[in-house]
Structure formats: structure tokens, C-alpha cells
């Protein structure tokens, strides 16, 4: 049996207990990253992506793979990944008590105490992982201590001990991802099922392919970190506001190779901030066009980046296949925005969405209300900016979500000092990830604001034709209300629609319509419930 076998477990993204699978385009990028240096040296790397299996099956495979392995490692982002990672690691530990176990990723980086306190792990790899993990593997192999390896958190005398901080490295030091480690077929198969539009976190089908038609997409990673200082996001603390990006040409070469090999339709960039450098963005778009590379793509782009790009760069982005710009609009007042720290003011968010709209690109725009100390009039102003953005940029899908505290952020400390009670046990941290279903910090949004938000969501959902799969009398009325900012008698109208809709559905049964367009990055509640008692559509999409 190989002594150089490394088992990497990518936890489930979503709790299968609450719905369908996670979108099949989400490749285990973290695991590919940390394999990249080791695979060159002949290590046998086995990645078990739990999203491909039922929960028990994923765990069983991980436990089995660990037989004769050198080490086991896993990852996780706040949310269900944390719970599933814990569950799997617990089973691995029970079967292989002597096997070294390592964890890394965003949640472990901000709460190493919780992960090390489980007694499961020998070390937490903090932040960027490639080099730290490489050195950890070498240390395990040679039986040396971890203390001299930079970028780790270790458990010493019941406390966290952090080794020297590791500076963020650039892509010139990092190899391309070892894509051959994954078998793409199960990902493709999952996405080409006729009901794949229902998968959680599925991005909408590019309009050129056809509404709700299955498509084959992959995730891709071309930059690490983010230069923004956002106080609700943990990236500034984890990555020191460094941003390291792969040069456009290298990215194009790699994607061209992959396209040749896998022939995907869509690339979903999982960079925190794809568009920091206009030059790179321009080179990428121009390169797509000059190489005649054909795929649709979406990425996180900031409002101020979009507004700083030259018109011809925006044109090239659209021409090269950009079909969704994911924009973190965050807040609708200058005062709140300055507390967040993003260089956005006035109607910048609206103007950016209009620039995209003009070029046929959908902006998936997320606003947040209920930040620590935020006043109700500020929240109402945010909902109103969201409404105005919808009116000004009809292709855009702007949404407003309640704030959720994220550990390792400036606002986390504020929330805790204002009475937010974080979960204690690691499993509770996982369950708060089902952020589509519950408010993480209830009671922070006054009832009149919550009602306005629900009414906005109700009318906007209706106006897209998502409730009934068509645009009729109710839909046109909804759009008129949004255009005129008229919420008089709106609650009664929403309730009346709910009753009408239920009766109509009984008389003429119809297929449920996907609402992924409301918030392409995330699953939301069911149509028509926005003004009802259900708070299913609550979430907190707080990407920087
Ligand atoms: C893309 C993205 C998403 C995607 C995909 C997430 C996924 N699970 O793959 C979507 C839209 C689904 C998503 C959802 C959410 N996300 Co998100 N997301 C991101 C984003 C923009 C990039 C993360 C990413 O995939 N990068 C690509 C991979 C390759 O890189 P990576 O994970 O950074 O991996 C490197 C290191 O972390 C490390 N590493 C990672 N794992 C491991 C494991 C080992 C063993 C080792 C050694 C190293 C290691 O090495 C890698 C290479 O250097 C970050 C923001 C950012 N600044 O990066 C937020 C971020 C990770 N998300 C965040 C949050 C909070 C969420 C949500 C809870 C939503 C919310 N706002 O409430 C949900 C829940 C996710 C879930 N449970 O699955 C937080 C993380 C908070 C935390 N402390 O865990 C971030 C940092 C943003 C923020 N607002 O602060 N997200």
C-alpha cells in the first residue's frame, strides 16, 4: 500500500435534508489548489468530493480511502461544509485514530480554536494553503514537528498557538491546478439532467443556450484574496487585503486546454474579486475573442471596477461571453457604505448595473440590511436603491438580504458587543449556514422594514413572471408599482395574489418555475411567499 497517499475530503455544500443537490459545476477547487505542488512529486492524491454522493456514501469513501494513507485533510466555509467536514472527520478518526488529520479553508482560518478544540486535527492551515500544506506533508513524512512551518495554528496546552505568519504568494510560484485529478463525467452528468436548474446554488442558463436548459459549467479560480477593506467580510483579516492574480494569458491557455478536453459551456469564476485590474480583464476578454474561445462566463465584479473600465473594455467583456456580473452592492446610503469601506457612493451601483444592462449582461446584485447599528431609515434607503436599480436595469436581479455576522470580521466584534450570541458547538456553526432559511441575527430588522423588503421581493419576483411562468395582469401591476414606488395597499394586493395564485394552480396545475434568476448565486424561497408569513426567503449573501 502506498505510504504517499493523501486523502482530501471536500465536504457537502448543502444539507441534503433540506433539498436537492448542490449545483454540479462546483468543482473541489480548494483541494486541487493544495494538491498542485505535491502531485508533481508523485504523491497519490485522492479527492473525495462529497457533493457527488449521498452523505453516508461520501463519508464511507473517505474512511475507506484513508486505509494506508499518509494523511487526511479537509476544508470548509461557514455553513453546512463545517458540519459535514466535522461529521466525516469524526468517522475517519474513529477508524484511523493514528492518521494525521489537517484542516484548512476560510472557517478554520478564522476559528482555528473551534477546529483544534474538537481534538480531531493535528494542525489548521491558515489562509493561502499551497505552500503550508506542502511543508506539512513533508513534515509528516519525515516525522518532524510542525512548529517551524509558517501559516499554521496548532493546539498547545489547550490553547491555539500560531506559527509565524506566511506571506501571500503570487501565481508565478504556483503551478496550474492538476485538473486530471478529477473525473469530470459525474459533474457533467449531474448538470445535464433535465431538472438541473433546481440544484442549489445553480447559476442560470446563459440566455443564448435557452432559459432553464441544462448546461455544462465548471468553476475556475484565477486570483487569490481581495484588496477591499469590507468590514462585514473576513477576507481583509485572512488575506491582509493582498490580491494575487494569474496573468490573463496563462488563464487563457489553461482554459483553452480545458475547453478542448471537457468542452464546457460556462465558466463560473470563484475569485473573490475578478476585476481588480482593468488591464487583466481587458487582456482576458480580448484573448477570448482573438483565440475564438467560446464559452459563457460569470464572475464577481465590483461596482467601482465596472465604473472605472473604459467603455470598450465593457464592450469586450460582453462580447467575450460575460453573461452575469455578480456585484456586491452592500448598502444604499453613503453613510453605511463608508462604514463598510467600499469606495461606492450615490447611485454608483445603479450606474454600474445600467452599464451591464446596456450590453445585455445581467447583474446579480446583492444588498444587505441590518448591519450592526444600522438605522431603519438607512435600511429603507437600501431597499429603495435596490428597487430603483431594478427599474433602471431590467436585466439585473437585485436582492436585499438580512445581515449575517461572519467571524473574523470587524463587524463580527461589533455584533457580539451588541448582543449577538454566536453558536458554540461546531455543528451549530454548520446549521447557521442554511442562510436561505433563517435569519442569523433575528430582531435586528424592524417589522416595517422587513415588510417593505418582503413586498419588494414579492413584486419583483412577480414582475419577472416567476410566480406563474408568464407575464399577465398581476405581473404588469407589480412592475407598475415598482416603477412608481407605490406600496399603498400593497400588502393586501400581495395577499390577494397569493389566494388567486393558489386557486389558479388548483384549476390549472402547472410546473413550478425556477426562481434562480432572483438570486443566481443562491437558492431562495418559493414564489409568492414573500408577503406571506413564511420567512423562507431570508438569507445573507455577503460576498465582498
Ligand atoms: C466563491 C465563494 C462562494 C461560492 C462557492 C463556495 C464554495 N463552497 O465553494 C458560493 C457563492 C456558493 C459561496 C457561498 C457562501 N459563502 Co462564500 N465565498 C466565495 C469566495 C468569493 C471565494 C472562495 C473560493 O471558493 N475560492 C476558491 C478556492 C480555490 O480558494 P479558497 O477556498 O480560498 O482555498 C485556498 C485557501 O483557503 C486554502 N484552503 C482551503 N481549503 C483548504 C483545506 C486545506 C486542508 C488546506 C491545507 C488549505 C485550504 O488553500 C486554498 C489555496 O490557497 C470567498 C471570498 C474570498 N475572499 O475568497 C467567499 C467566502 C469564502 N464565503 C463566505 C461565506 C460566509 C459564504 C456563505 C456562508 C454565504 C454568506 N455570505 O452568508 C455561503 C456558504 C457556503 C457553503 N457553506 O458552501 C465567507 C467565508 C466565511 C467563513 N469564515 O467561513 C467568504 C470569505 C466571504 C466573506 N463574506 O467573508 N461562497
Amino acid at each position: 500500500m502506498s505510504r504517499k497517499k493523501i486523502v482530501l475530503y471536500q465536504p457537502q455544500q448543502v444539507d441534503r435534508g433540506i433539498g436537492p443537490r448542490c449545483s454540479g459545476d462546483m468543482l473541489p477547487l480548494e483541494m486541487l489548489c493544495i494538491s498542485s505542488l505535491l502531485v508533481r512529486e508523485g504523491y497519490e492524491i485522492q479527492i473525495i468530493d462529497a457533493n457527488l454522493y449521498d452523505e453516508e456514501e461520501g463519508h464511507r469513501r473517505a474512511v475507506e480511502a484513508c486505509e494506508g494513507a499518509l494523511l487526511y485533510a479537509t476544508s470548509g466555509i461557514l455553513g453546512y461544509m463545517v458540519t459535514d467536514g466535522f461529521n466525516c472527520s469524526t468517522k475517519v478518526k474513529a477508524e484511523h485514530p493514528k492518521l494525521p488529520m489537517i484542516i484548512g479553508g476560510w472557517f478554520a482560518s478564522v476559528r482555528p480554536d473551534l477546529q483544534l478544540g474538537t481534538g480531531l486535527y493535528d494542525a489548521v492551515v491558515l489562509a493561502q494553503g499551497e505552500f503550508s500544506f506542502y511543508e506539512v506533508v513533508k513534515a509528516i513524512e519525515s516525522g518532524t514537528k510542525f512548529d517551524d512551518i509558517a501559516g499554521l495554528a496548532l493546539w498547545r496546552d489547550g490553547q491555539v498557538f500560531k506559527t509565524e505568519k506566511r506571506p501571500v504568494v503570487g501565481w508565478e510560484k504556483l503551478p496550474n491546478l492538476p485538473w486530471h485529478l478529477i473525473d469530470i463525467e459525474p459533474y457533467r452528468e449531474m448538470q445535464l439532467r433535465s431538472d438541473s436548474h433546481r440544484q442549489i446554488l445553480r447559476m442560470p442558463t446563459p440566455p443564448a443556450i435557452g432559459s432553464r436548459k441544462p448546461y455544462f459549467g465548471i468553476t475556475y479560480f484565477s486570483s487569490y484574496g481581495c484588496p477591499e477593506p469590507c468590514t462585514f467580510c473576513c477576507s481583509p483579516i485572512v488575506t491582509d487585503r493582498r490580491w494575487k492574480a494569474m496573468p490573463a494569458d496563462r488563464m487563457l491557455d489553461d482554459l483553452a486546454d480545458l475547453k478542448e478536453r471537457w468542452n464546457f459551456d460556462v465558466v463560473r469564476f470563484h475569485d473573490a474579486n475578478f476585476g481588480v485590474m482593468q488591464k487583466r480583464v481587458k487582456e482576458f476578454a480580448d484573448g477570448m475573442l482573438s483565440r475564438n474561445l467560446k464559452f459563457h462566463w460569470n464572475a464577481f465584479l465590483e461596482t467601482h471596477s465596472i465604473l472605472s473600465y473604459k467603455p470598450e473594455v465593457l464592450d469586450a467583456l460582453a462580447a467575450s461571453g460575460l453573461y452575469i456580473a455578480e456585484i456586491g452592492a452592500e448598502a444604499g446610503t453613503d453613510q453605511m457604505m463608508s462604514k463598510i469601506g467600499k469606495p461606492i457612493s450615490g447611485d454608483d451601483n445603479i450606474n454600474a448595473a445600467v452599464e451591464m444592462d446596456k450590453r445585455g449582461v445581467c447583474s446579480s446584485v446583492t444588498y444587505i440590511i441590518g448591519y450592526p447599528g444600522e438605522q431603519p431609515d438607512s435600511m429603507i434607503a437600501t431597499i429603495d436603491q435596490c428597487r430603483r436599480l431594478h427599474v433602471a436595469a431590467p436585466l439585473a436581479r437585485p436582492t436585499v438580504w438580512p445581515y449575517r455576522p461572519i467571524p473574523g470580521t470587524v463587524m463580527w466584534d461589533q455584533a457580539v458587543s451588541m448582543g449577538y450570541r454566536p453558536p458554540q458547538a461546531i455543528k451549530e456553526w454548520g446549521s447557521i449556514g442554511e442562510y436561505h432559511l433563517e435569519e442569523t441575527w433575528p430582531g435586528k430588522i424592524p417589522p416595517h422594514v422587513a415588510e417593505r423588503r418582503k413586498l419588494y421581493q414579492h413584486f419583483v419576483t412577480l414582475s419577472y413572471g416567476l410566480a406563474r411562468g408568464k407575464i399577465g395582469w398581476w405581473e404588469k401591476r407589480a412592475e407598475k408599482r415598482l416603477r412608481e414606488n407605490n406600496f399603498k395597499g400593497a400588502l393586501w394586493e400581495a395577499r390577494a395574489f397569493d389566494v388567486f395564485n393558489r386557486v389558479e394552480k388548483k384549476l390549472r396545475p402547472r410546473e413550478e418555475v425556477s426562481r434562480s434568476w432572483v438570486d443566481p448565486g443562491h437558492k431562495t424561497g418559493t414564489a409568492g411567499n414573500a408577503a406571506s408569513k413564511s420567512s423562507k426567503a431570508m438569507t445573507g449573501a455577503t460576498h465582498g
Side-chain angles (χ1 to χ4, degrees):
M1 225 161 270
S2 163
R3 279 302 293 157
K4 291 183 94 179
K5 179 163 72 169
I6 296 170
V7 178
L8 302 178
Y9 180 74
Q10 174 87 356
Q12 300 270 359
Q13 307 265 0
V14 293
D15 184 352
R16 289 285 175 78
I18 63 142
R21 280 170 183 273
C22 179
S23 179
D25 63 344
M26 305 261 269
L27 306 182
L29 298 179
E30 305 79 322
M31 297 314 177
L32 290 168
C33 285
I34 60 168
S35 305
S36 61
L37 296 167
L38 291 154
V39 80
R40 302 190 301 190
E41 294 190 11
Y43 287 88
E44 177 197 337
I45 297 183
Q46 210 167 325
I47 298 177
I48 291 144
D49 183 351
N51 292 306
L52 296 177
Y53 313 107
D54 289 339
E55 204 155 304
E56 294 297 320
E57 173 72 359
H59 297 171
R60 191 189 61 72
R61 282 176 184 254
V63 170
E64 215 173 275
C66 284
E67 197 58 55
L70 182 63
L71 79 150
Y72 156 95
T74 188
S75 180
I77 291 178
L78 173 66
Y80 196 68
M81 288 180 94
V82 173
T83 302
D84 185 57
F86 173 78
N87 289 342
C88 183
S89 298
T90 305
K91 290 182 190 168
V92 170
K93 191 76 173 179
E95 279 298 310
H96 307 281
K98 294 217 168 80
L99 183 70
M101 292 175 52
I102 308 295
I103 190 163
W106 289 91
F107 185 73
S109 293
V110 294
R111 292 303 305 264
D113 55 326
L114 283 171
Q115 297 292 8
L116 292 169
T118 61
L120 291 168
Y121 304 105
D122 298 275
V124 166
V125 172
L126 303 166
Q128 195 181 29
E130 288 86 344
F131 279 93
S132 308
F133 189 59
Y134 175 87
E135 289 174 28
V136 163
V137 171
K138 293 287 169 191
I140 291 172
E141 228 179 347
S142 61
T144 51
K145 288 201 300 188
F146 292 162
D147 299 51
D148 296 333
I149 302 176
L152 302 185
L154 307 170
W155 201 235
R156 294 283 181 266
D157 306 319
Q159 280 186 42
V160 173
F161 162 75
K162 286 191 182 169
T163 62
E164 195 188 327
K165 199 161 180 159
R166 183 180 290 270
V168 176
V169 301
W171 289 81
E172 70 287 356
K173 299 212 169 70
L174 298 170
N176 285 354
L177 298 195
W179 299 107
H180 66 275
L181 291 180
I182 51 174
D183 171 12
I184 202 68
E185 288 317 316
Y187 296 93
R188 190 203 309 266
E189 187 272 323
M190 212 154 105
Q191 297 181 67
L192 294 183
R193 291 178 197 167
S194 59
D195 63 349
S196 59
H197 61 278
R198 291 185 190 284
Q199 291 167 359
I200 295 182
L201 300 169
R202 185 84 177 139
M203 292 299 253
T205 310
I209 296 180
S211 171
R212 290 204 292 154
K213 282 218 175 115
Y215 68 89
F216 168 38
I218 61 163
T219 44
Y220 193 87
F221 177 55
S222 79
S223 64
Y224 177 79
C226 176
E228 303 300 339
C230 302
T231 47
F232 62 78
C233 179
C234 65
S235 187
I237 288 170
V238 174
T239 68
D240 282 334
R241 295 178 61 189
R242 306 302 300 276
W243 182 77
K244 299 284 185 186
M246 192 191 266
D249 265 343
R250 180 167 155 193
M251 204 196 324
L252 286 159
D253 289 345
D254 193 28
L255 282 165
D257 265 9
L258 282 178
K259 172 81 185 166
E260 180 89 23
R261 210 172 334 150
W262 291 344
N263 195 22
F264 44 77
D265 308 307
V266 173
V267 172
R268 171 178 182 170
F269 284 97
H270 266 183
D271 301 30
N273 192 343
F274 183 82
V276 174
M277 265 173 73
Q278 176 169 214
K279 185 171 171 283
R280 189 180 88 118
V281 164
K282 180 182 183 323
E283 284 168 5
F284 175 70
D286 290 347
M288 287 279 293
L289 294 167
S290 64
R291 293 174 185 225
N292 204 19
L293 250 176
K294 293 221 181 317
F295 56 78
H296 307 273
W297 59 282
N298 55 71
F300 291 95
L301 293 170
E302 292 293 336
T303 282
H304 53 280
S305 305
I306 294 171
L307 293 179
S308 72
Y309 295 165
K310 293 192 181 123
E312 59 270 27
V313 174
L314 294 172
D315 294 342
L317 286 179
S320 72
L322 173 68
Y323 79 108
I324 297 176
E326 293 183 77
I327 300 178
E330 325 307 3
T333 65
D334 289 359
Q335 203 196 4
M336 196 59 240
M337 201 62 99
S338 73
K339 288 188 185 161
I340 291 164
K342 263 194 197 179
I344 302 176
S345 62
D347 282 351
D348 285 355
N349 287 319
I350 299 179
N351 298 335
V354 167
E355 287 304 324
M356 290 287 113
D357 222 72
K358 279 198 266 186
R359 293 167 171 88
V361 177
C362 161
S363 300
S364 166
V365 185
T366 49
Y367 287 96
I368 299 164
I369 54 172
Y371 293 104
E374 188 181 16
Q375 294 305 306
D377 55 347
S378 165
M379 303 182 204
I380 291 282
T382 292
I383 299 170
D384 192 56
Q385 184 177 108
C386 181
R387 178 194 64 79
R388 289 187 294 117
L389 190 149
H390 160 75
V391 173
L395 289 181
R397 292 297 179 261
T399 42
V400 181
W401 306 115
Y403 166 76
R404 77 136 16 140
I406 294 173
T409 65
V410 172
M411 282 191 185
W412 170 268
D413 295 339
Q414 293 166 0
V416 170
S417 73
M418 291 172 69
Y420 168 64
R421 304 267 295 273
Q424 299 301 315
I426 202 125
K427 280 200 175 186
E428 292 169 39
W429 283 92
S431 73
I432 70 165
E434 292 321 332
Y435 59 103
H436 341 87
L437 303 180
E438 65 201 41
E439 253 178 296
T440 315
W441 190 15
K444 288 293 133 192
I445 297 171
H448 73 283
V449 178
E451 184 181 298
R452 175 54 65 95
R453 170 178 171 260
K454 284 182 184 176
L455 285 171
Y456 166 75
Q457 297 291 118
H458 170 77
F459 287 115
V460 87
T461 306
L462 207 49
S463 77
Y464 300 144
L466 293 175
R468 301 193 298 155
K470 66 175 180 189
I471 304 282
W473 186 82
W474 291 100
E475 288 76 9
K476 286 184 191 144
R477 253 190 93 77
E479 185 55 35
K480 188 164 181 286
R481 275 190 180 275
L482 292 169
R483 231 181 14 248
E484 294 172 359
N485 193 20
N486 174 11
F487 285 86
K488 228 165 121 194
L491 190 57
W492 289 106
E493 189 173 311
R495 284 181 182 151
F497 171 77
D498 237 19
V499 175
F500 174 88
N501 192 31
R502 263 183 273 143
V503 173
E504 193 186 52
K505 253 205 284 200
K506 273 221 176 85
L507 294 176
R508 262 174 284 154
R510 58 176 184 249
E511 207 203 322
E512 210 48 60
V513 185
S514 163
R515 297 182 70 238
S516 61
W517 276 104
V518 179
D519 175 20
H522 306 87
K523 183 185 155 67
T524 54
T526 51
N529 75 353
S532 74
K533 277 173 259 124
S534 162
S535 63
K536 257 190 181 168
M538 292 295 186
T539 170
T542 53
H543 286 124

